[in-house]
Amino acid sequence: MISMENAVSYGMQASTELSELQSATQEYMRTGDHDAALQCAARADTLDDPRAHAFAAYLRGAVSFRRGDYAEAQHLLTKAADLYARCADADGEARAAGMLASVYTMYGDYPTAFAMFRTALDRFEVVGDLRGQALSHTGLGHVLNGTGDQQAALDSFARALSCAVAAGDATVAAGTRLNISSTMLNLDDVDGAHEELLRARERFVELNDTPRVAMIDVNLGTTHLRRGEIDAAREIVRRIDPGVLDDPETWYGYQQTQAALHRADGRYDDARAVLERMLVHAADRGMRAHEARAHEQLRDVAKDAADFASYVRHNEAFTEITNEIKGGQTARALAILEKQRELDVIARERDRERTVLYSTLPKAVADRVIRGETVNDIFPAASVLFADVAGFTEQSARFGSDEVIGVLATLHRAIDERCLHHGVVKIKTIGDAYLAFAGEGTDAENCARTAALAADMVALHVAWPDGTPLTLRIGMQVGPVSAGVIGTDRLQYDVWGDTVNMASRLEHTGQPGHVHVADERYAVDGFALEERGLVELKGKGETRTYWLRHLGAGH
């Protein structure tokens, strides 16, 4: 059975402009106040924000889903997904896709639902949204239930519960326990299902969530019946208010339990009347599995009442629909396996792309690219470091290319490690040259990071193959820079601006084993400036510069 609070939760992530509306909507949907939720949708449509319009469409789709109008829900949720895509809200698009997948699950279109839940899950895994992952795993569990793979469904629900607990979302965790209990019933673990329902009920009672408590009571009635506890089932049903059963699936379960109690009391006409209503309800909504169940129960009532003609009629209908479903389940299972293969191929390709991104871009930048962001940053007080190997051309000419590559690999690997240690971002290497910067902190913090890195670089012990020590020439400048990801086939994170040019010129006019700067802000704790004098810098003229001296090894 699809847990409605889980499905509806896909659209409830707050944003700055919509947080008040979304917060109110969560409560309205939880309490079943659909009219108030639709008023929130109308308010969202008046906001000058495309995300608000997408949310409004989503919310109307969620209400339609709750009310059992799946055709309207499909139309509105498809519109919501499109609107989220237009405003580049990938997370909103994933939530709409997850809810839309729930509609396809109700239709029995499991391959489409499976693919959409997987797409949503992949997105939530990229951004680390544990709640979204929990809801996606829940949806996949419903799909697997529909194909008859109960154990795989139980495994999926278990993953959902793990994600919900890790996210600290007790409400989603309780809803997931409800789904686990339904699957346990299908696996004939009645006692286990009963315990899960009691744990979920306790949480929803704490939340004063009357519709969800009623939903669980419907299922508890079923477990009592399966255990032969007729009086306990009757007591459970008495405390249920049918008016709060706000979705078709729960209403169906309630009627089924009522019919079973009438049959246990020998009130066959009352049981038959309830089951006939269930049959019409299921047929109107294309719920073939529910139709089969109604015919099965009508057949059993006819047997108890010695109504042979009705017994034959309902048994034939039950058999026909069950065979249709079993054949469909096999076809759907095969379709899902094929869809799984397709998704696995896509996932492997995406993993390869991510591996390439992480190998060519700083991790934080690669994560942003994977999330679909356009990386275009401005750092007002970045510290840029340029370095190259003194006498590289002359020295490298003395050795073979393999030997030179080995020396550079050793050097760059050592600098990479020190960059990571000091929180400095490596930009690129060009031959023997190395470019890095720190831009996230204040000017003092950025200068301190690159100064510590420069001191470590000067102290590196790397030698040419003949033992000649390798020495670096380093230039640094602090100021505003722009940074972004450039290229399409071969992405590169780069920085540019006058600060970068100045650092390059300071490096070119420096001396081996020295750190050349032109800004007194580099006189940070543990370092001192030694005036060099006026130096002619290309495009800058005579500029007063300094040697940056490290005062000790305690950095």
Side-chain angles (χ1 to χ4, degrees), residues 121-133 167 371:
L121 176 61
D122 288 346
R123 175 64 190 175
F124 292 131
E125 286 179 341
V126 166
V127 299
D129 184 342
L130 286 169
R131 188 170 185 271
Q133 291 175 47
R371 290 196 297 267

Side-chain angles (χ1 to χ4, degrees), residues 50 62 80 94 98 117 206-207 217 230 273 329 347 437 440 492 508 516 543:
F117 279 129
E206 291 174 359
L207 293 170
D217 283 344
I230 305 300
Q329 284 179 342
F437 89 114
E440 295 290 346
Q492 177 181 325
H508 286 312
H516 197 198
T543 303

Side-chain angles (χ1 to χ4, degrees), residues 407-426:
V407 170
L408 290 177
T410 300
L411 173 65
H412 292 162
R413 184 164 51 249
I415 300 175
D416 288 349
E417 291 172 355
R418 303 315 296 166
C419 278
L420 185 63
H421 177 72
H422 292 296
V424 177
V425 177
K426 172 187 177 180

Side-chain angles (χ1 to χ4, degrees), residues 242-475:
V244 304
L245 302 178
D246 59 358
D247 69 86
E249 182 82 5
T250 306
W251 179 89
Y252 190 96
Y254 174 73
Q255 298 297 325
Q256 181 175 308
T257 303
Q258 286 277 35
L261 288 173
H262 290 325
R263 182 185 170 201
D265 292 338
R267 296 161 56 189
Y268 302 129
D269 288 341
D270 290 339
R272 188 180 294 112
V274 171
L275 292 170
E276 291 288 357
R277 284 200 301 271
M278 289 169 53
L279 187 59
V280 172
H281 180 274
D284 285 347
R285 288 162 176 78
M287 301 163 73
R288 296 293 279 167
H290 295 72
E291 283 187 71
R293 201 177 311 159
H295 280 298
E296 180 184 25
Q297 290 180 286
L298 282 164
R299 179 200 66 185
D300 294 342
V301 169
K303 179 181 178 181
D304 292 346
D307 184 347
F308 182 72
S310 293
Y311 177 89
V312 171
R313 176 163 54 87
H314 289 297
N315 186 61
E316 288 178 350
F318 167 71
T319 303
E320 179 183 347
I321 297 174
T322 300
N323 289 338
E324 173 193 322
I325 291 172
K326 286 182 176 179
Q329 284 179 342
T330 300
R332 287 191 292 267
L334 291 173
I336 286 178
L337 285 174
E338 182 58 33
K339 183 64 69 174
Q340 178 70 63
R341 293 188 191 99
E342 293 175 9
L343 292 171
D344 286 344
V345 170
I346 294 172
R348 286 193 294 271
E349 181 61 30
R350 184 162 51 246
D351 287 343
R352 283 194 291 269
E353 291 173 356
R354 289 177 183 174
T355 299
V356 171
L357 284 176
Y358 285 128
S359 68
T360 58
L361 300 175
K363 183 180 184 303
V365 175
D367 287 340
R368 292 170 63 188
V369 172
I370 290 170
R371 290 196 297 267
E373 294 182 29
T374 298
V375 180
N376 184 11
D377 301 323
I378 296 177
F379 299 98
S383 178
V384 179
L385 178 150
F386 252 113
D388 74 352
V389 177
F392 177 79
T393 302
E394 295 80 5
Q395 289 285 0
S396 62
R398 301 169 47 228
F399 306 103
S401 60
D402 290 345
E403 293 174 303
V404 174
I405 290 172
V407 170
L408 290 177
T410 300
L411 173 65
H412 292 162
R413 184 164 51 249
I415 300 175
D416 288 349
E417 291 172 355
R418 303 315 296 166
C419 278
L420 185 63
H421 177 72
H422 292 296
V424 177
V425 177
K426 172 187 177 180
I427 297 299
K428 60 185 174 183
T429 60
I430 304 175
D432 64 313
Y434 197 102
L435 172 61
F437 89 114
E440 295 290 346
T442 64
D443 54 353
E445 292 169 339
N446 294 332
C447 287
R449 290 191 186 107
T450 52
L453 171 62
D456 281 358
M457 291 169 67
V458 169
L460 285 174
H461 296 290
V462 180
W464 291 100
D466 64 355
T468 302
L470 180 150
T471 56
L472 295 173
R473 202 169 42 221
I474 301 172

